[in-house]
């Protein structure tokens, strides 16, 4: 019987783990991870969400499998299992649904209400769906959570004001550098985060150079976002020109190395600030040891956001109340799903019987009148429908209320066999 289904959430996020720890939990090959989690952690369905601030696993399971999840995650990343103790959070059912709603509504984001997370979650469920890692339960859950999250964002206006990782980074630079307007600014990367940084620089009237591996892409970027495109190679050998550098790429190695910055600082008589917005980081943390260099990354942005949060606290309270209500509704629809295989099976069996008996009767009557045939058919349908619909609705209700014994009994009464399960 499909009872005692659990929705689980295992996560490592910026709340518990600084960036240099967080990045270690990154899952590089998601497709492979899906297979591993299903095979070795007893997850029937799973969805992985990875952003710069979090690596999260949602799953559907019938067993207690926290240890098995840790084991698989450790195997995939090559980490020791002990490190999960301090960094991983694990919740189930109601709490897992609650957390997903916090994610979709932007309440768990470092920058409260930022837009990016919603797109990232949509992409995650789309690709999980595509590779059949997720199924009926998680697909339904995510679709609903995305819809609820969008509604909460729109009605509360939590994302208003254009606060983003980009504007936070620029603000951090302003707080640390005097007369920023007179300084040379460089932005590395043409992706989503660079766009946010560029927008904020533009709005505040700072001019900047921009670079990425392909000059063409930088040129296109600058046409719409402002900034002057410069060649990548030129930048890599000439960091000394710059006083402030934002790095936001997905390069899988240190793009800004200690050697390059050490060389740059030899030919420079003022300081340099570097903001690494990437996860995994793309600036070697050793550059922070070079005299005159100040390195900041997502950790410092998180600290800064913490300070800004108070002003939005009333909104947060309102949203938390909405989420609490929505969780119960969501939970009921998830539990309802548990009874669907049984309900579908019963309807299918009864429909088979009805059709068989109807055809038998038609043959015996040798009836040709279409109108009469129709009436007889409608009669069989009406009888079946009125007998079955009440018990079926009661089964769904029992499932919503988690009455496992009643569902078990219904399964026996209707001779429901586990191998018939639809999912
Ligand atoms: N999205 C968010 O909400 C968010 C927030 C904070 C931090 N972050 C972090 O910021 C970083 C960038 O995220 P994003 O969303 O902007 O990514 P994105 O839209 O995918 O853009 C990636 C950028 O990285 C560049 N890049 C990739 N591999 C490179 C390499 N080997 N060498 C040089 N450049 C390379 C790409 O350049 P090409 O065009 O040449 O490929 C592109 O400009 C990530 O580490 C992410 O974790 C993201």
């Amino acid at each position: 019987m499909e009872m005692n289904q659990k929705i689980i959430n295992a996560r490592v996020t910026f709340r518990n783990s600084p960036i240099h720890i967080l990045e270690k939990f990154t899952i590089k090959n998601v497709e492979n991870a899906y297979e591993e989690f299903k095979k070795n952690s007893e997850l029937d369905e799973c969805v992985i969400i990875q952003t710069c601030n979090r690596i999260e696993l949602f799953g559907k399971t019938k067993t207690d499998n926290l240890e098995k999840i840790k084991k698989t995650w450790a195997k995939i990343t090559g980490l020791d299992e002990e490190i999960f103790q301090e960094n991983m959070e694990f919740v189930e059912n109601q709490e897992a649904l609650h957390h997903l709603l916090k994610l979709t509504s932007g309440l768990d984001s470092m920058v409260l209400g930022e837009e990016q997370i919603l797109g990232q979650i949509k992409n995650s469920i789309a690709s999980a769906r595509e590779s059949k890692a997720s199924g009926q339960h998680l697909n339904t859950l995510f679709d609903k959570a995305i819809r609820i999250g969008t509604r909460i964002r729109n009605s509360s206006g939590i994302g208003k004001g254009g606060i983003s990782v980009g504007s936070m980074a620029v603000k951090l630079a302003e707080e640390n550098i005097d007369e920023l307007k007179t300084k040379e600014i460089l932005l590395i990367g043409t992706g989503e985060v660079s766009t946010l940084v560029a927008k904020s620089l533009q709005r505040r009237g700072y001019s900047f150079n921009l670079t990425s591996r392909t000059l063409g892409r930088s040129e296109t970027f600058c046409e719409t976002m402002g900034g002057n495109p410069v060649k990548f190679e030129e930048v890599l050998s000439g960091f000394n020109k710059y006083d402030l550098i934002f790095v936001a790429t997905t390069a899988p190695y240190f793009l800004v190395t200690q050697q390059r910055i050490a060389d740059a600082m030899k030919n420079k008589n003022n300081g340099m600030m570097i903001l690494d917005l990437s996860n995994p980081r793309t600036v070697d943390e050793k550059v922070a040891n070079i005299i005159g260099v100040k390195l900041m990354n997502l950790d410092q942005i998180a600290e800064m956001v913490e300070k800004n949060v108070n002003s939005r606290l009333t909104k947060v309270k309102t949203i938390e109340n909405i989420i609490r209500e929505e969780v119960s509704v969501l939970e009921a629809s998830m539990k309802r799903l548990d009874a669907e295989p049984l309900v579908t099976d019963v309807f299918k069996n009864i429909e088979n019987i009805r059709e068989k008996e109807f055809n038998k009767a038609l043959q015996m009557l040798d009836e040709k009148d279409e109108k009469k045939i129709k009436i007889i058919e409608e009669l069989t349908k009406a009888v079946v429908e009125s007998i079955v619909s009440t018990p079926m609705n009661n089964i769904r209700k029992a499932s919503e209320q988690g009455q496992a014994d009643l569902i078990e009994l219904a399964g026996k009464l209707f001779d429901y066999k586990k191998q018939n399960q639809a999912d």
Side-chain angles (χ1 to χ4, degrees), residues 52 116 120 190-193 213 217 249-250 253 277-279:
C52 48
Q116 280 72 40
Q120 286 156 340
T190 50
E192 218 175 320
V193 176
R213 283 178 301 185
R217 193 161 296 160
T249 77
T250 47
Y253 48 82
L277 306 178
S278 324
N279 173 21

Side-chain angles (χ1 to χ4, degrees), residues 368-400:
K368 294 275 178 290
D369 185 339
E370 284 296 327
K371 208 174 149 195
K372 283 187 185 158
I373 294 176
K374 189 91 191 146
I375 291 175
I376 300 170
E377 183 168 27
E378 293 302 323
L379 167 79
T380 62
K381 282 187 180 166
V383 171
V384 164
E385 180 70 28
S386 49
I387 295 175
V388 181
S389 69
T390 308
M392 288 306 112
N393 282 337
N394 285 339
I395 288 173
R396 287 186 169 128
K397 251 183 238 158
S399 181
E400 265 180 37

Side-chain angles (χ1 to χ4, degrees), residues 183-184 240-243 265 267-272 291-293:
K183 305 288 195 257
E184 291 296 325
N240 58 321
K241 268 209 232 146
Y242 299 100
D243 308 307
M265 291 309 285
N267 307 313
K268 199 165 177 359
N269 40 27
N270 59 344
M272 178 191 285
I291 292 167
V293 175

Side-chain angles (χ1 to χ4, degrees), residues 236-277:
L236 290 186
S237 56
F239 279 118
N240 58 321
K241 268 209 232 146
Y242 299 100
D243 308 307
L244 170 62
I245 304 173
F246 296 95
V247 192
T249 77
T250 47
Y253 48 82
F254 291 144
L255 210 57
V256 179
T257 58
Q258 190 202 18
Q259 193 58 52
R260 281 176 181 149
I261 298 302
D263 289 348
M265 291 309 285
K266 280 184 208 147
N267 307 313
K268 199 165 177 359
N269 40 27
N270 59 344
M272 178 191 285
M273 180 175 182
I274 305 175
L275 274 142
D276 187 3
L277 306 178

